[in-house]
Amino acid sequence: MQKPDLSLQYRLMLPLAVVLLAVMAYPLIFSAWISLHDYRLTRLTDVQFRGWQNYLGLIENQQFWTAITNTMTFVVGAVSMEFVLGFSLALLLHRVRRFQNFYRAILLSPMFITPIAVGLMFRFLLNIQLGVIPHYLDKIGIYVDWFGIDLALFSLMLIDTWQWTPFMLLMLLAGLESLPKAPFEAARVDGASPWLIFRRITLPMMRPVILVALIIRGLDAFKVFEYVYAITRGGPGDSTETILFHIYKVGFRFFRMGEAASMAYVLIVITLILVTALYWSMKRR
Amino acid sequence: MPKITLENIQKKFGKNTVLDGIDLELGEGEFTVLVGPSGCGKTTLLRLIAGLDQVSAGKILIGDRDVTRLEPRERDIAMVFQNYALYPHMSVYENMSFGLKARGVDAGEVKRRVIQVAEMLGIEILLNRKPKELSGGQQQRVAIGRAVVRDPSLFLFDEPLSNLDAKLRTEMRTELLKLHRELHATTVYVTHDQEEAMSMGDRIVVLNDGVIQQRGTPRDIYFHPVNLLVAGFIGSPSMNMLHGKISGDRFASLDGAIVVETKNLPDGDVILGIRPEDIHQPADLTAEQHGCVLNCRIDVIELLGARAIITLIVVGVELRAVIEERYLKGISEGSDLIVVFDPDRFHFFDAVTGRRLNRDRFDEEQGIDG
Ligand SMILES: Nc1ncnc2c1ncn2[C@@H]1O[C@H](COP(=O)(O)OP(=O)(O)O)[C@@H](O)[C@H]1O
Ligand SMILES: [Mg+2]
């Protein structure tokens, strides 16, 4: 038998490998290089090597830590609300057969709007002077400044919840419907109350689906940018300045690319640590 | 007073009536086998008794408590499902203790009972395993253990042995019977396997098309089937059926091959049923038992071991007979064979209604209408 010509395989893979290198590896490596230099778009002729200085500088950088804290608060808050709401709705809906396609289409529609449009939409809906929501709240005697210093970050979480609960719902509903029916019937005959069945049968059996849904939504929420950009621009003060918006500001408004790149790398590390931790804590039993 | 009473149970799925007018009483400690072909409504009936589905009409009583509208957990019933339905994420111990904990039995007692039952079933070394680490037979035992440990007022088994291989099946059959003898728990055992039904039940209930066809001891059902459905379903190989006519106390099959004297049977179209083991060699019967002698041609011989099933052809009609292996010497497929019948063992059924026609002493005692 003739030996298969391995070199042919590699040669066939070459074009794709080159494209991947160009669009993925090159920017990654280049940004890593940038993060080690004092690289400013305004002073490209004078790029200095700074070693770990950019990274060490972040430890002292109050704005950076505020952005990280804001982002964490946003992720935890928004994803928790989406999970609780999405799971409750999924539990309610998964046995309803009537009008199934209709309500599913309605419930899922927010997901299909581009986030920047959602941001703009809510900017007007919630605007204290023009918005229709504050207008009617005012009529029943409730005065809320949705984008004031206390509430702005929370309002962004609500918007995220509005748009992404359907995704949570979709994942969890699919999960619920793929569970085998038999253990639930066995538990009913065994004498378990609905609450006990939920705690001891539904939740543990849904564990893998919940894990995946939380990770996907968590990672996505980490990247929150559009709502901030469309509505608050990080304000009032720095109360809604999320990490991605901060990086954008430092990099593309202040042109301090080196510092921005180092933040981006720290962000990657933080995300990896969080995902791994979440994964293991859910996986363990 | 019977332990469980079903009164005129009806179950419909949409327009499709799956169970119709089921009346059943189960005495304390009785082992009742519910047998019927696939799709006849056995699982549906068990689910109604367990409370997993609601009846369309009728009543279910436990003792004199009406449980018809109660949730499963209020009925104190344990069910062993056909596919075992173990909790996949729990260990064997947790599977078995779940029901007790749900009922608020205290931890020490739970442990004591689980271990006791596990020892009884020989699964104590499996207690820390997950269901997916068990063989089919072991999962089966766990499912039974989960039911037994609760000490319920009624056990329901839904074809518990159908997923096991033949050898394990006969072993488990014996073991289940032993278990029943120890526990004396009221039990409904469902199977589609008539042989399993015959070998296990104190009492058999034959279900077909959602209607109870006959109830009685294995002997009653086998020797005195009340209609063609039961006669055809119980027994393997199944009963030979010959279309014919009775006129003036004489039965003649349509082809004229079989002619026998009858007593006290009305004239008309009938079906004559003969069990394969009631077709004999002339030497087996005394001369006065030779009601009918036939000359047949052997079509196929299937040797089972000590016995053989032979397919005979008489004037274009096929008859299946079970004979002992020693008679096979000197005969072969294609050769001729003389067989005799004992007319006392004939079953006559009305060709239109399918009901049994011949009444014998047994029928009189049971008060079964002829
Ligand atoms: N949930 C259901 N919806 C509609 N029809 C059903 C349902 N469950 C069972 N049936 C029908 O009822 C009949 C009896 O089913 P089943 O009780 O499972 O039979 P068995 O257990 O005797 O094989 C079948 O014809 C089946 O199609
Ligand atoms: Mg069934």
Side-chain angles (χ1 to χ4, degrees), chain B residues 9-275:
Chain B
I9 297 292
Q10 196 190 49
K11 179 65 182 174
K12 290 181 177 180
F13 289 110
K15 284 204 173 66
N16 181 13
T17 305
V18 172
L19 291 172
D20 200 7
I22 303 285
D23 284 308
L24 200 58
E25 288 186 349
L26 311 175
E28 174 84 50
E30 239 180 4
F31 193 100
T32 306
V33 174
L34 189 65
V35 67
S38 286
C40 72
K42 306 181 297 292
T43 299
T44 307
L45 186 59
L46 283 197
R47 291 174 59 87
L48 293 178
I49 300 175
L52 289 170
D53 290 322
Q54 288 291 313
V55 299
S56 306
K59 254 203 218 166
I60 302 170
L61 305 168
I62 298 182
D64 48 10
R65 195 163 69 106
D66 186 344
V67 300
T68 317
R69 298 284 156 206
L70 295 186
E71 277 289 303
R73 74 190 131 104
E74 297 163 309
R75 297 191 185 194
D76 192 25
I77 285 173
M79 181 157 170
V80 176
F81 294 80
Q82 185 166 0
N83 52 10
Y84 316 140
L86 297 177
Y87 309 125
H89 55 288
M90 295 187 198
S91 69
V92 169
Y93 180 87
E94 289 168 318
N95 261 281
M96 289 174 67
S97 58
F98 183 77
L100 291 175
K101 285 183 184 155
R103 274 155 214 276
V105 177
D106 74 68
E109 173 72 4
V110 170
K111 188 163 183 187
R112 197 186 61 74
R113 274 161 74 174
V114 170
I115 289 175
Q116 186 198 347
V117 171
E119 278 172 2
M120 189 162 79
L121 290 165
I123 51 174
E124 65 272 30
I125 52 161
L126 306 178
L127 284 174
N128 290 321
R129 299 229 199 133
K130 292 276 177 64
K132 65 168 181 286
E133 299 160 349
L134 304 178
S135 71
Q138 290 169 331
Q139 291 188 26
Q140 172 68 67
R141 277 165 204 269
V142 175
I144 293 169
R146 183 173 67 177
V148 168
V149 78
R150 276 184 36 213
D151 190 21
S153 57
L154 176 64
F155 279 103
L156 305 175
F157 288 91
D158 191 359
E159 312 209 17
L161 308 184
S162 61
N163 291 344
L164 303 181
D165 61 60
K167 183 162 173 290
L168 205 51
R169 190 154 48 207
T170 39
E171 278 172 25
M172 278 308 284
R173 223 190 256 177
T174 320
E175 225 171 295
L176 277 174
L177 285 176
K178 269 194 216 151
L179 194 67
H180 178 249
R181 218 169 296 143
E182 261 172 66
L183 302 172
H184 287 290
T186 317
T187 306
V188 182
Y189 183 100
V190 158
T191 176
H192 69 270
D193 180 348
Q194 49 89 24
E195 206 176 293
E196 194 170 299
M198 296 288 289
S199 69
M200 292 188 79
D202 299 338
R203 220 166 69 106
I204 294 181
V205 175
V206 184
L207 193 68
N208 198 359
D209 282 341
V211 177
I212 291 181
Q213 304 290 336
Q214 184 171 5
R215 59 197 94 198
T217 64
R219 297 186 66 83
D220 300 345
I221 307 264
Y222 190 78
F223 293 109
H224 308 278
V226 298
N227 61 30
L228 276 175
L229 283 170
V230 178
F233 181 64
I234 302 287
S236 168
S238 62
M239 193 185 267
N240 297 295
M241 306 283 186
L242 292 165
H243 287 261
K245 227 181 198 37
I246 293 181
S247 64
D249 280 346
R250 249 168 69 93
F251 167 85
S253 61
L254 286 186
D255 46 69
I258 298 184
V259 178
V260 282
E261 304 291 316
T262 60
K263 262 184 287 186
N264 304 329
L265 291 178
D267 289 358
D269 289 340
V270 297
I271 289 169
L272 167 60
I274 308 169
R275 291 233 179 256

